Amino acid sequence: MTRLLGKAISGGLHKGIARVIDSTQLVVDHQTISSSDVDSEWQRFLSAIEHIIKDTKGLLDDLSLAVSDQEILNSHIMIMEDPEFHKAIENSLSKDLVCLESALNKHFSYMVEYFKSMEDEYFRQRADDYADINERLLTHLTGKSNSDLSNITASEIPVLNEVIPSQIISLFNNKVSCICTEHGSETSHSSILARSMGITLVTELKNIKSKIATGDLLLVDGNEGVVIVEPDADTLKVYEIELQEEALEQAKLKEIINLETQTLDGTKISLSVNMELPEELDRIEALNSDGIGLFRTEFLYLETDMLPTEQAQFEVYKKVLERMKDKPVIIRTMDLGGDKFASDETWDEDNPYLGCRGIRLSLLKPEMFKTQIRALLRAGLYGKLWVMFPMINDIEDYNSAMSIVKECVTELESDNIEFSNSNKFGTMIEVPSAALTSSELAEVCDFFSIGSNDLTQYTVAVDRNNSTIANLYKPNHPAVLKLMKMTLNSAKEWGIPVGLCGEMASNPEYIETLLKLGFRSLSTGPAKFAKIKETIRNINL
Ligand code: PEP
Ligand code: MG
């Protein structure tokens, strides 16, 4: 038995048979050609490109891919359509008089090395995309493949030097649920794809191919980054117990989700779920919640190297709204800044949490904001949409945000584009000034949702990410509870709904306090949903 420790990229527990994939460099014949062959080689190039682009578009159609995944495949199409790339191949064919395979290898080897030599981690990882396209083109042209994953089965665990994005998709199609690699990183496109497709991925397993052989039994813990090769009987027993615990947890969850969310004295509580990525929809749907209390949309921006388009966002929001049917879905406009930056939105600020974050950034970049608002207004036709603004300070901020909404409404009307007029608009209460002026805000907002994570950090002046002073970060500090009570009272005064969607609602310790303070609507992370429901059912108000 050998225990390997790697880096946990995408979670899950798995037992399976190793299949070591030989990914030695694809061997191509380097032939010279005569000038009379140039045209036919060029035609082969055009038809290979056309084939792979068609293939890639097929992947885009077939799978219900997340925006991030679509962006990866779209970036591959862009690389293949790039006139500079075509020019480089044309030059190699006509000037160097080499065959198409050689021309492609030369071009892509250069591109891979170029990206690999970059300092920026993000650009280094783009080398994978070029290697991926080269392999697909050469496999198509030569009929050979350097790593045939097409006949891999669901019970096998592929072991590779590294995995490229198109391989993840092909493994996903073969129902493979776990991958182990020697090289990889958190933010590579492959890792993004694995996470979003629910495939367990452990990487940074040093010398993996000398330690694992095809046919070995593997136990993989994607939560801890541990791979056990040929486990002994005791380890297998422990693993089986862990699997059973997970299964028991699932069974318990299934039982609880069908029960009413109410306290022992019969007070009904609305319990919704927070969502980060549309890939979580299946899991969220199964929870039988009262809706989505917070969809943090900034992850749509963080996972890609391009800003998400209006259409791409529209598709995501539409899908979420349709799936949640008549249950309210609170979609929060992008909360970039603080510790979350989109690729082209990085700048230095001394105090990013007190800087250009959330609605402040949206108002500074109205075009970017309008793209999102237009997508939301259009998607509102497909469900019960509540649009929420983050980091609102006061009524002035809220009115500024709403004036952009009005501009978008006017634009959509004049463009004859269908949109919904019945969406609700509200604000997060997560900045003390908003809580303190919540009575004014409640008069104009359709709803409130308290962001206890930020409300706590701004009230007690403790950075929510600072572990040194984590003991001072108290969501149940009397000052925070006072601001919450103030907000609850303002909402009551103006008759608008108010909920709480911060992490406090995912912590069983705080539930009784929150309910006794007056909350009747909470939104929790999906993993804690059952636990919180169980906690509520054991409280007597
Ligand atoms: C919060 O601040 O409580 C909240 C829900 O927003 P985020 O954690 O995304 O800042
Ligand atoms: Mg917040």
Side-chain angles (χ1 to χ4, degrees), residues 208-233:
I208 188 174
K209 286 194 182 168
S210 62
K211 292 176 180 158
I212 300 178
T214 293
D216 282 350
L217 180 63
L218 300 184
L219 296 183
V220 180
D221 183 343
N223 308 315
E224 304 293 332
V226 172
V227 177
I228 296 171
V229 189
E230 292 286 273
D232 59 24

Side-chain angles (χ1 to χ4, degrees), residues 43-300:
Q43 291 310 321
R44 277 180 74 223
F45 170 68
L46 292 181
S47 102
I49 288 287
E50 192 188 346
H51 178 91
I52 304 297
I53 288 179
K54 201 168 149 213
D55 226 41
T56 311
K57 285 185 175 161
L59 289 172
L60 279 165
D61 289 344
D62 283 357
L63 295 164
S64 53
L65 292 170
V67 173
S68 54
D69 310 343
Q70 293 169 20
E71 301 285 7
I72 293 168
L73 293 173
N74 279 324
S75 75
H76 286 196
I77 294 175
M78 275 167 64
I79 291 171
M80 286 185 275
E81 286 176 340
D82 182 2
E84 290 298 319
F85 162 47
H86 288 221
K87 204 154 66 187
I89 299 300
E90 196 181 7
N91 276 343
S92 271
L93 297 178
S94 59
K95 295 193 177 129
D96 304 339
L97 291 175
V98 293
C99 70
L100 175 58
E101 287 81 349
S102 289
L104 287 170
N105 246 355
K106 181 181 156 205
H107 175 76
F108 282 109
S109 300
Y110 171 79
M111 295 307 285
V112 168
E113 287 315 310
Y114 173 73
F115 278 100
K116 272 191 176 161
S117 70
M118 289 198 158
E119 250 175 45
D120 185 295
E121 168 74 6
Y122 174 82
F123 285 112
R124 270 206 309 279
Q125 285 153 18
R126 300 292 75 75
D128 289 356
D129 296 311
Y130 284 89
D132 190 355
I133 295 167
N134 191 28
E135 182 182 335
R136 290 174 72 195
L137 283 167
L138 291 175
T139 301
H140 172 72
L141 287 164
T142 61
K144 299 182 227 161
S145 168
N146 67 343
S147 52
D148 190 7
L149 298 174
S150 59
N151 63 355
I152 201 155
T153 59
S155 61
E156 289 178 299
I157 297 178
V159 172
L160 306 102
N161 278 341
E162 58 186 320
V163 62
I164 52 178
S166 63
Q167 288 174 327
I168 296 269
I169 294 168
S170 111
L171 290 168
F172 175 77
N173 288 338
N174 282 1
K175 309 227 169 348
V176 168
S177 49
C178 179
I179 305 171
C180 298
T181 69
E182 175 152 2
H183 303 290
S185 72
E186 190 103 37
T187 52
S188 73
H189 277 156
S190 299
S191 300
I192 294 168
L193 282 169
R195 275 196 294 271
S196 67
M197 289 174 167
I199 297 175
T200 295
L201 175 60
V202 176
T203 184
E204 288 188 22
L205 293 156
K206 304 270 172 289
N207 300 320
I208 188 174
K209 286 194 182 168
S210 62
K211 292 176 180 158
I212 300 178
T214 293
D216 282 350
L217 180 63
L218 300 184
L219 296 183
V220 180
D221 183 343
N223 308 315
E224 304 293 332
V226 172
V227 177
I228 296 171
V229 189
E230 292 286 273
D232 59 24
D234 285 348
T235 310
L236 269 174
K237 250 186 235 156
V238 172
Y239 179 79
E240 294 300 337
I241 291 169
E242 279 175 7
L243 268 186
Q244 275 168 16
E245 278 172 2
E246 214 178 54
L248 273 178
E249 197 53 39
Q250 291 301 319
K252 185 173 140 193
L253 185 139
K254 272 208 179 116
E255 257 173 45
I256 286 183
I257 57 174
N258 294 320
L259 303 174
E260 285 282 332
T261 314
Q262 60 179 28
T263 55
L264 285 174
D265 51 283
T267 307
K268 298 244 188 301
I269 307 295
S270 161
L271 191 60
S272 304
V273 193
N274 293 352
M275 185 170 109
E276 321 293 317
L277 288 168
E279 290 72 29
E280 292 172 289
L281 267 178
D282 283 345
R283 188 172 167 211
I284 286 175
E285 208 172 26
L287 292 174
N288 194 19
S289 71
D290 291 313
I292 290 181
L294 169 66
F295 176 13
R296 290 180 165 96
T297 58
E298 48 279 8
F299 292 93
L300 303 175

Side-chain angles (χ1 to χ4, degrees), residues 332 335 357 428 430 454 464:
R332 182 175 77 183
D335 185 15
R357 184 191 161 189
M428 301 228 22
E430 53 184 346
D454 281 315
R464 60 195 264 191

